[in-house]
Amino acid sequence: YIGNNENIDRTMAIRPGLDWERLTAMPYRNGAADAAEAQSFFYKEVAHHVATAPGRAMADLARKAWWFLDAREQPRNISLEAFRPHSVVLSILYWRVPGCAFPFGVIGPLGLLGLGVLSCRGGAGRRLACFAALFAGTVILFFPAARYRLPVIPLVVLGAVSGGEWLWMNWRAGQRVWQAATLAVLLVAVNAPRRSPLADGPSFAAELHKNVGVGLQVRGNLPGALAEYAAALKIDPRYADAHYYRGTVMRDSGRREDAAAAFKEAIVCRPTHEKALHDLAVLQYQRGRVDLAAELLRRVLDVNPRHVRAMRNLALAEARRGHLDEARALLRRAASLTPDAASPVSAAP
């Protein structure tokens, strides 16, 4: 579904975190009761998209094939380009200059040429080329992140050897114009600049600092975590998750005013940031601002109707406001979604 729907530029760019959680919750918001029904929901969505918009689906397949040939390593959860400044080894093994990216920008064109040569020779070479094409087709059908393309790279490398041999033989035979033109076309095709929702969407450098910050925070290094969140916000001042996690450090350090300010910044950057809305609501409840806390928790449920903690905390707020029937209804609703929803409300005092 991620690579086969009416807006693949959005779904392919979804990152781990809130957006991913919302994507995986989508079947349940549409009536799925378990994982099997959720899987079926996504299959039906893909089938509906292909049936109702076949032209768009075919055009998207062509775009994904174009992205598959990109010399860059298309990121998924992590980006080699974001890690590259922090690794001497990686800076040698993977680099980009205008007009070329290494290694696929060199290996790719030679590999395509060689696999074409092998397919023309028949026998085992043709079977190898056909398998490479088949595997590439399954990746294109899904979506062409580098980690999904990686298993076909050994076959491309084998093809590159054949491609290099073909170039050398033609060079020695005097057919230099033909072989040079062929290689030039493939080099341009693989190294041509192109925009991709995988590589050109989020700021992976900012996300890397945020992820390091979370790791430090989990290990109790709060000053180090704050420094990483600050580095992320320097790269992307509107990075809502960095504001949010900065707020959690402030909250855990007892700096509730600063935490509330950070959560508000996250909400300004992203009004549907349910974690920031929820945690800000808890802070407001703890400060006695029950009406404001209830308003914020209702905003959480508008964004995510299955947010059990928000339901339970809103029930507590409504009970404190004297709305006992509404509180009971919220607790029953929460209990229907999770077996342990009746356990004590941990987020509120």
Side-chain angles (χ1 to χ4, degrees):
Y1 173 81
I2 291 173
N4 298 277
N5 64 83
E6 66 280 357
N7 191 3
I8 64 171
D9 292 76
R10 180 184 64 82
T11 54
M12 285 173 58
I14 286 178
R15 313 292 305 130
L18 279 178
D19 289 327
W20 180 259
E21 292 167 8
R22 289 173 186 171
L23 175 66
T24 57
M26 187 168 67
Y28 300 98
R29 292 198 298 270
N30 286 272
D34 53 34
E37 291 186 10
Q39 180 92 332
S40 178
F41 169 85
F42 283 121
Y43 281 135
K44 290 177 181 177
E45 287 294 302
V46 172
H48 176 75
H49 170 62
V50 173
T52 57
R56 176 67 179 272
M58 293 302 104
D60 284 342
L61 280 177
R63 286 205 296 158
K64 289 188 290 182
W66 181 237
W67 293 328
F68 181 89
L69 295 176
D70 193 349
R72 296 177 298 174
E73 300 297 321
Q74 298 280 331
R76 182 59 188 133
N77 290 358
I78 60 175
S79 167
L80 287 181
E81 295 198 19
F83 277 93
R84 188 176 178 276
H86 309 282
S87 168
V88 174
V89 174
L90 191 58
S91 66
I92 296 171
L93 296 178
Y94 177 70
W95 46 263
R96 273 202 300 153
V97 295
C100 183
F102 184 84
F104 194 77
V106 177
I107 298 298
L110 285 172
L112 290 173
L113 177 61
L115 289 172
V117 170
L118 289 174
S119 67
C120 294
R121 290 177 179 173
R126 177 173 294 173
R127 290 193 292 273
L128 182 72
C130 288
F131 177 76
L134 178 62
F135 192 96
T138 64
V139 176
I140 293 167
L141 185 63
F142 184 41
F143 63 96
R147 71 184 194 188
Y148 306 134
R149 183 176 73 174
L150 183 60
V152 82
I153 296 301
L155 303 178
V156 176
V157 171
L158 291 175
V161 175
S162 294
E165 178 197 25
W166 181 87
L167 288 172
W168 175 246
M169 297 299 292
N170 279 274
W171 183 273
R172 293 183 63 185
Q175 300 176 4
R176 299 176 181 180
V177 174
W178 160 244
Q179 56 93 20
T182 303
L183 182 60
V185 168
L186 291 173
L187 282 168
V188 170
V190 172
N191 289 283
R194 65 199 85 185
R195 290 194 59 80
S196 158
L198 289 168
D200 301 304
S203 173
F204 286 96
E207 187 179 73
L208 177 60
H209 282 292
K210 184 267 293 182
N211 289 341
V212 173
V214 171
L216 292 172
Q217 185 176 352
V218 168
R219 290 161 176 78
N221 185 350
L222 300 187
L226 284 177
E228 290 296 333
Y229 298 145
L233 290 171
K234 185 176 181 179
I235 296 171
D236 183 1
R238 294 190 58 80
Y239 189 12
D241 276 358
H243 285 295
Y244 168 72
Y245 283 107
R246 179 173 175 272
T248 62
V249 172
M250 302 295 188
R251 178 195 62 199
D252 296 343
S253 303
R255 299 162 57 184
R256 293 187 177 183
E257 291 292 335
D258 292 333
F263 292 150
K264 288 175 182 177
E265 284 291 338
I267 295 167
V268 168
C269 296
R270 185 170 183 172
T272 60
H273 199 295
E274 62 197 62
K275 292 182 179 179
L277 287 166
H278 177 273
D279 289 8
L280 179 60
V282 171
L283 288 178
Q284 300 297 351
Y285 182 93
Q286 291 170 341
R287 297 170 66 184
R289 300 174 180 176
V290 181
D291 290 344
L292 180 55
E295 177 186 340
L296 289 167
L297 290 168
R298 291 193 182 281
R299 286 177 62 183
V300 174
L301 293 176
D302 287 340
V303 174
N304 180 4
R306 297 175 63 89
H307 198 300
V308 173
R309 288 185 65 197
M311 288 180 207
R312 292 159 58 188
N313 285 332
L314 181 57
L316 188 63
E318 294 297 351
R320 187 166 173 179
R321 296 165 75 189
H323 304 157
L324 299 183
D325 289 342
E326 187 169 353
R328 291 189 190 97
L330 284 164
L331 288 175
R332 291 191 188 98
R333 182 178 165 196
S336 70
L337 295 174
T338 179
D340 64 345
S343 61
V345 180
S346 59

